[in-house]
Structure formats: structure tokens, C-alpha cells
Amino acid sequence: MSSFLKGVDQRTSLAGMNRMELLLFTIRGKQLFGINVFKVREVIRTPEISAVPKSDYRIVGVADIRGQTMPMIDLASALDMEKIPKEEYSNTLTIVTEFNSSVQGFLVHGVDRIVHMRWEDILPPPETLQNVNYLTGITRAQNQIVEIVDVEKVLVEVSGVTNEMSNEFMSTHENITGDESYFVLAADDSAVARNQLANILDKMGIRNKIVNNGKKALEFLEKLADDADIGISEPVADRLLMVISDIEMPEMDGYTLTSSIRKDERLRDLFVVLNSSLSGGFNDKLTEKVGADSFISKWHPDELAELIVKRIKANREKHQKAS
């Protein structure tokens, strides 16, 4: 099955055009689920799995895949579905993924195909379910509803990582944090990532608004710009410390959001940070191409907080020089 995903690296041209490719698979029954191809290394027959004592119940063990050991996660259990019996492992497939700076295998029953999608055709889950489910988006393919799994949330839960800023960082930067004159807008489709962003910004004492996709972020920015146009508020660049955006998001991805900001003369001076779990050098190239100021890998809270501190210091120096 590894040839099924051959040439994934050549598909990076889709990014920046508000397009993506979705790997469709089944876990139980005929319901289709999806995962962004950029997160996938390969799809293989499930190899021999060695049990790991006292591991999370969703981790069925570890496997050696091409000389690399990795945790094997029963995606059915992670989504609160019926667990795959051990005797059925040989009849399953493993989606080998790379994101959040780690590699892991997800056991599934079948892989369907790869479909070419537009982000505007992928809708966020209903508002009432956004913080309690394991979906980042919903779309349609082959006359079926496809549920896009929040694999980032699954991995964070099974790994037990807290993703909070270290006490060392907070104690070192006490004189910087706590200034509520700063405001940050953030966009991310993962409930876990939104909670992490809110935790970082709240602990730093920075006012914030966090939305679940790029379209909502752009609408919010355009509303601020409209208010500035009629004299209700200051220019947007004077009000926002930065915009932090995920790359993969329903309706509008982070690359398209950044491009839209740079094309609007009222917004083009905003400091934009792309914050993604996706791995690969194409991120750096596309960050530069769409005009983002920085790229940071997700799940490194101290690194993101350090960038925020640098922006605060730069703003203070700018205002001191102006006065």
C-alpha cells in the first residue's frame, strides 16, 4: 500500500491555493473518515505489534516499521468506537503519520482513496460539538458524508502531553507578561490547539480571540478594518500584536488567510505567524511565498510564547522611539 501515497511531496503545490488532498478510510462499517495527505507517510498492512505494559488503552503496542519503532494506536478505541480485537490486527491497515514532531501508526479497517478537495467545501463541526468531539471538519465525497478526524487531539490524549508553558519561562518573563493592552487573534480547527493557545495567551495576560477557521479570522479582521475606516477604532495593525494561524482549516486555510491579509492594504502590515503540526520543508517555502512573518511547529508552547515576548519588546521599543 505504500505506493498508494507515492509522490505526496509533489502535491505541495495545492497548498496556498486553498486546496488539499484527503485520504479516505473506514474504521467500522461504511462510514468514511478522512485525514490530510500531508500528515501521511504511507499506508501498509499492519505489521507485527509488540505489547507495551501499562500503556494507554488506545495504544495497542509498538511496531518496527522500516527500522523505526513507533506507537500503534487503535483509532476505533480513540474515537470511542468498538475496539479492534487483537486477532483481527492482521486484517487491518496502518496509516503511518508524521505530525506534532512525531511518527505513529493508526490502525484502520480499510483505505478507500485520495480525493482532491477545496477547503471551502469542508465545513467545521456544529458549534455545539466543537469542544467535545474528535472532528475538525465535515465534507462530502462519493455521495457520502466524510468526517475529518482530529488526530492531533487523539495523539495529545494518548501521549499525556500537557502542552503548557514551563514554569521557568513564566518566571523569567514576569516583567513582560500581564500587559492587557496587547491583543492577539488566532485561528485553529483543532479544539486541543485552541485550548493550548488560549492557555498560553491567558497566562501571559494577553487579550485574545480564537476562532476555528481562516474565514472567520479574515471576517473579524475586515470588520476591525471597516471600523477603522469610519473612525470607530484605530488602524488594525495598531490594535493587534499578531495573528496566529493554523495551516489546515475548513473553509479557508492558513496560507490563503495570510495571502488575503497581505492583499488588503488595511491589513498588510499585520504580523502573521503560521503555527502548524505539518512537517516538511515546504512549510518554510510557502510561509515565505504567502508573506507570513514566521512559522512555528505546534505543541512547542515555550517557543510560541518566546515569539510573543519578542513582538512585545519590539512594540515597546517602537513606541519609545516614537515618543
Side-chain angles (χ1 to χ4, degrees), residues 161-174 176-178 192-193 195-206 208 244 275 296 298-310 312:
V161 176
T162 61
N163 293 309
E164 293 186 0
M165 288 184 297
S166 65
N167 292 329
E168 280 183 296
F169 180 91
M170 291 301 297
S171 61
T172 305
H173 297 88
E174 285 180 333
I176 296 294
T177 58
V192 173
N195 289 337
Q196 183 199 46
L197 286 167
N199 181 273
I200 292 172
L201 295 168
D202 289 346
K203 280 191 174 181
M204 296 182 75
I206 296 174
N208 60 84
I244 303 171
N275 184 39
I296 292 182
K298 269 188 188 177
W299 318 115
H300 298 283
D302 281 7
E303 186 179 351
L304 178 57
E306 186 64 50
L307 180 60
I308 294 171
V309 167
K310 287 181 180 179
I312 292 174

Coordinates of all heavy atoms in Angstrom, one line a residue, residues 161-174 176-178 192-193 195-206 208 244 275 296 298-310 312:
V161 N 0.7 14.5 27.0 CA 1.5 15.8 26.9 C 0.5 16.9 27.4 O -0.6 17.0 26.9 CB 2.0 16.1 25.5 CG1 2.7 17.4 25.5 CG2 3.0 15.0 25.1
T162 N 1.0 17.8 28.2 CA 0.2 18.9 28.7 C 0.2 20.1 27.8 O -0.7 20.9 27.8 CB 0.6 19.3 30.1 OG1 2.0 19.8 30.1 CG2 0.5 18.2 31.1
N163 N 1.3 20.3 27.1 CA 1.4 21.4 26.2 C 1.2 22.8 26.9 O 0.6 23.7 26.3 CB 0.4 21.3 25.0 CG 0.8 20.1 24.1 OD1 1.9 19.9 23.7 ND2 -0.2 19.2 23.9
E164 N 1.7 22.9 28.1 CA 1.7 24.2 28.8 C 3.0 24.8 28.8 O 4.1 24.1 28.8 CB 1.1 24.0 30.2 CG -0.4 23.5 30.2 CD -0.9 23.5 31.6 OE1 -0.2 23.8 32.5 OE2 -2.1 23.1 31.7
M165 N 3.1 26.1 29.0 CA 4.3 26.8 29.2 C 5.0 26.3 30.4 O 4.4 26.0 31.4 CB 4.1 28.3 29.2 CG 3.7 28.9 27.9 SD 3.6 30.7 28.1 CE 2.3 30.9 29.3
S166 N 6.4 26.3 30.4 CA 7.1 25.9 31.5 C 7.1 26.9 32.6 O 7.0 28.1 32.3 CB 8.6 25.5 31.1 OG 9.2 26.7 30.7
N167 N 7.3 26.5 33.9 CA 7.3 27.5 35.0 C 8.6 28.4 34.8 O 8.6 29.5 35.2 CB 7.4 26.7 36.3 CG 6.1 26.0 36.6 OD1 5.0 26.5 36.2 ND2 6.2 24.9 37.3
E168 N 9.6 27.8 34.3 CA 10.9 28.6 34.0 C 10.6 29.8 33.1 O 11.1 30.9 33.4 CB 11.9 27.7 33.4 CG 12.7 26.8 34.3 CD 13.8 26.0 33.6 OE1 13.4 25.2 32.7 OE2 14.9 26.2 33.9
F169 N 9.8 29.5 32.1 CA 9.6 30.6 31.1 C 8.8 31.7 31.8 O 9.1 32.9 31.7 CB 8.8 30.1 29.9 CG 8.4 31.1 28.9 CD1 9.3 31.4 27.9 CD2 7.3 31.9 29.0 CE1 9.0 32.4 26.9 CE2 7.0 32.9 28.1 CZ 7.9 33.2 27.1
M170 N 7.7 31.3 32.6 CA 6.9 32.3 33.2 C 7.7 33.1 34.2 O 7.5 34.4 34.3 CB 5.7 31.6 33.9 CG 4.7 31.0 32.9 SD 4.0 32.3 31.8 CE 3.1 33.3 33.0
S171 N 8.5 32.5 35.0 CA 9.3 33.2 36.0 C 10.3 34.1 35.4 O 10.7 35.2 35.9 CB 10.0 32.2 36.9 OG 10.9 31.4 36.2
T172 N 10.8 33.8 34.2 CA 11.9 34.5 33.5 C 11.3 35.8 32.9 O 12.0 36.8 32.7 CB 12.6 33.7 32.4 OG1 13.1 32.5 33.1 CG2 13.7 34.5 31.8
H173 N 10.0 35.7 32.5 CA 9.4 36.8 31.7 C 8.3 37.5 32.5 O 7.3 38.0 31.9 CB 8.9 36.3 30.4 CG 10.0 35.7 29.5 ND1 10.4 34.4 29.6 CD2 10.7 36.3 28.5 CE1 11.3 34.3 28.7 NE2 11.6 35.4 28.0
E174 N 8.3 37.5 33.8 CA 7.3 38.2 34.6 C 7.1 39.6 34.2 O 6.0 40.2 34.3 CB 7.6 38.0 36.1 CG 7.3 36.6 36.6 CD 7.6 36.5 38.1 OE1 8.4 37.2 38.6 OE2 6.9 35.6 38.7
I176 N 7.4 41.0 31.4 CA 6.9 41.2 30.0 C 5.4 40.9 30.0 O 4.6 41.5 29.4 CB 7.6 40.3 29.0 CG1 9.1 40.7 29.0 CG2 7.0 40.3 27.7 CD1 9.3 42.1 28.4
T177 N 5.0 39.8 30.6 CA 3.6 39.3 30.6 C 2.7 40.2 31.4 O 3.1 40.9 32.3 CB 3.5 37.8 31.0 OG1 4.0 37.7 32.3 CG2 4.3 36.9 30.1
G178 N 1.4 40.0 31.2 CA 0.4 40.7 32.0 C 0.0 42.1 31.5 O -0.7 42.8 32.2
V192 N -8.1 21.0 20.7 CA -6.9 20.9 21.6 C -6.0 22.1 21.4 O -5.5 22.7 22.3 CB -6.2 19.6 21.4 CG1 -4.9 19.6 22.2 CG2 -7.1 18.4 21.8
A193 N -5.8 22.4 20.1 CA -4.8 23.5 19.8 C -5.4 24.9 20.3 O -4.7 25.7 20.8 CB -4.6 23.6 18.3
N195 N -7.4 25.3 22.8 CA -7.3 25.4 24.2 C -5.9 25.7 24.6 O -5.6 26.5 25.6 CB -7.7 24.0 24.9 CG -9.2 23.8 24.8 OD1 -10.0 24.8 24.7 ND2 -9.6 22.6 24.8
Q196 N -4.9 25.2 23.9 CA -3.5 25.5 24.2 C -3.2 26.9 24.0 O -2.5 27.6 24.8 CB -2.6 24.6 23.4 CG -1.1 24.8 23.7 CD -0.1 24.4 22.6 OE1 -0.3 24.7 21.4 NE2 0.9 23.7 23.0
L197 N -3.7 27.5 22.8 CA -3.4 28.9 22.5 C -4.1 29.8 23.6 O -3.4 30.7 24.0 CB -4.0 29.2 21.1 CG -3.2 28.7 19.9 CD1 -4.1 28.8 18.7 CD2 -1.9 29.4 19.8
A198 N -5.3 29.4 24.0 CA -6.0 30.2 25.0 C -5.2 30.2 26.3 O -5.1 31.2 27.0 CB -7.4 29.7 25.2
N199 N -4.7 29.0 26.7 CA -3.9 28.8 27.9 C -2.7 29.7 27.9 O -2.4 30.4 28.9 CB -3.6 27.4 28.1 CG -2.8 27.1 29.4 OD1 -1.6 27.2 29.4 ND2 -3.5 26.7 30.4
I200 N -1.9 29.7 26.8 CA -0.7 30.5 26.7 C -1.0 32.0 26.8 O -0.4 32.7 27.6 CB 0.0 30.2 25.3 CG1 0.5 28.8 25.3 CG2 1.1 31.2 25.1 CD1 1.1 28.3 23.9
L201 N -2.0 32.4 26.0 CA -2.3 33.9 25.9 C -2.9 34.3 27.3 O -2.6 35.4 27.7 CB -3.2 34.2 24.8 CG -2.6 33.9 23.4 CD1 -3.7 33.9 22.3 CD2 -1.5 34.9 23.1
D202 N -3.8 33.5 27.9 CA -4.4 33.9 29.1 C -3.3 34.0 30.2 O -3.3 35.0 31.1 CB -5.5 32.9 29.5 CG -6.7 33.0 28.7 OD1 -6.8 34.0 27.9 OD2 -7.5 32.1 28.7
K203 N -2.4 33.1 30.3 CA -1.4 33.1 31.3 C -0.4 34.2 31.1 O 0.2 34.7 32.1 CB -0.6 31.7 31.3 CG -1.3 30.6 32.0 CD -0.4 29.4 32.1 CE -1.0 28.3 33.0 NZ -0.2 27.1 33.2
M204 N -0.2 34.7 29.9 CA 0.6 35.8 29.6 C -0.1 37.1 29.8 O 0.5 38.2 29.6 CB 1.2 35.7 28.2 CG 2.1 34.5 27.9 SD 2.8 34.5 26.3 CE 4.0 35.8 26.4
G205 N -1.4 37.0 30.1 CA -2.2 38.2 30.4 C -2.5 39.0 29.1 O -2.7 40.2 29.1
I206 N -2.6 38.3 28.0 CA -2.8 39.0 26.7 C -4.3 38.7 26.2 O -4.7 37.6 26.2 CB -1.9 38.5 25.6 CG1 -0.4 38.8 26.0 CG2 -2.2 39.0 24.2 CD1 0.6 38.3 25.1
N208 N -7.3 38.1 23.8 CA -7.3 37.3 22.6 C -8.7 36.9 22.1 O -9.6 36.9 22.9 CB -6.5 36.0 22.8 CG -7.0 35.1 24.0 OD1 -7.9 34.3 23.7 ND2 -6.5 35.3 25.2
I244 N -2.1 34.6 14.8 CA -1.5 33.2 14.8 C -2.5 32.3 14.1 O -3.7 32.2 14.5 CB -1.3 32.7 16.2 CG1 -0.4 33.7 17.0 CG2 -0.7 31.3 16.2 CD1 -0.4 33.4 18.5
N275 N 1.3 28.5 12.4 CA 1.5 27.6 13.6 C 0.9 26.2 13.2 O -0.3 26.1 13.2 CB 0.9 28.1 14.8 CG 1.2 27.3 16.1 OD1 2.3 26.8 16.2 ND2 0.2 27.2 16.9
I296 N 6.1 28.4 13.1 CA 6.4 27.7 14.3 C 5.7 26.3 14.3 O 4.5 26.3 14.0 CB 6.1 28.5 15.5 CG1 7.0 29.7 15.6 CG2 6.2 27.6 16.8 CD1 6.7 30.5 16.9
K298 N 3.7 23.3 15.9 CA 2.8 23.2 17.0 C 3.3 22.4 18.1 O 4.3 21.7 18.0 CB 1.5 22.6 16.5 CG 0.4 23.5 16.0 CD -0.9 22.8 15.8 CE -1.9 23.6 15.1 NZ -3.1 22.8 14.8
W299 N 2.7 22.6 19.3 CA 3.0 21.8 20.5 C 4.3 22.2 21.1 O 4.9 21.3 21.8 CB 2.8 20.3 20.2 CG 1.6 20.1 19.4 CD1 1.6 19.5 18.2 CD2 0.2 20.3 19.7 NE1 0.3 19.5 17.7 CE2 -0.6 19.9 18.6 CE3 -0.4 20.9 20.9 CZ2 -1.9 20.1 18.6 CZ3 -1.8 21.0 20.8 CH2 -2.5 20.6 19.7
H300 N 4.8 23.4 20.8 CA 6.0 23.9 21.5 C 5.7 25.2 22.1 O 6.0 26.3 21.6 CB 7.2 24.1 20.5 CG 7.6 22.8 19.8 ND1 8.4 21.8 20.5 CD2 7.3 22.2 18.6 CE1 8.6 20.8 19.7 NE2 7.9 21.0 18.5
P301 N 4.9 25.2 23.2 CA 4.4 26.4 23.8 C 5.4 27.5 24.2 O 5.2 28.7 24.0 CB 3.6 25.9 25.0 CG 4.1 24.6 25.3 CD 4.5 24.0 24.0
D302 N 6.6 27.0 24.7 CA 7.6 28.0 25.1 C 8.1 28.7 23.9 O 8.4 29.9 23.9 CB 8.8 27.3 25.8 CG 8.4 27.0 27.3 OD1 7.3 27.2 27.7 OD2 9.3 26.6 28.0
E303 N 8.2 28.0 22.7 CA 8.7 28.7 21.5 C 7.8 29.7 21.0 O 8.2 30.8 20.6 CB 8.9 27.6 20.4 CG 9.6 28.2 19.1 CD 9.8 27.1 18.1 OE1 9.6 25.9 18.4 OE2 10.1 27.4 17.0
L304 N 6.5 29.4 21.0 CA 5.5 30.4 20.6 C 5.4 31.6 21.6 O 5.4 32.7 21.2 CB 4.1 29.7 20.6 CG 2.9 30.6 20.2 CD1 3.1 31.3 18.8 CD2 1.6 29.9 20.2
A305 N 5.5 31.3 22.9 CA 5.5 32.3 23.9 C 6.7 33.2 23.8 O 6.6 34.5 23.9 CB 5.4 31.7 25.3
E306 N 7.8 32.7 23.4 CA 9.0 33.4 23.2 C 8.9 34.4 22.1 O 9.3 35.6 22.1 CB 10.2 32.5 23.0 CG 11.6 33.2 22.9 CD 12.0 33.8 24.2 OE1 11.9 33.2 25.2 OE2 12.4 35.0 24.2
L307 N 8.2 34.0 21.0 CA 8.0 34.8 19.9 C 7.0 36.0 20.2 O 7.2 37.1 19.8 CB 7.4 34.0 18.7 CG 7.1 34.8 17.4 CD1 8.3 35.5 16.8 CD2 6.4 33.9 16.4
I308 N 6.0 35.7 21.1 CA 5.1 36.7 21.5 C 5.9 37.8 22.3 O 5.7 39.0 22.2 CB 4.0 36.1 22.3 CG1 3.1 35.2 21.5 CG2 3.1 37.2 23.0 CD1 2.1 34.4 22.2
V309 N 6.8 37.3 23.2 CA 7.6 38.2 24.0 C 8.4 39.1 23.1 O 8.6 40.3 23.4 CB 8.5 37.4 25.0 CG1 9.5 38.3 25.6 CG2 7.6 36.8 26.1
K310 N 9.0 38.5 22.1 CA 9.9 39.3 21.2 C 9.0 40.4 20.5 O 9.5 41.6 20.3 CB 10.5 38.4 20.1 CG 11.6 37.6 20.6 CD 12.2 36.7 19.5 CE 13.4 35.8 20.1 NZ 13.9 35.0 19.0
I312 N 6.3 41.8 21.7 CA 6.0 42.8 22.8 C 7.2 43.8 22.9 O 7.0 45.0 23.0 CB 5.6 42.2 24.1 CG1 4.3 41.4 23.9 CG2 5.5 43.2 25.2 CD1 3.9 40.6 25.2

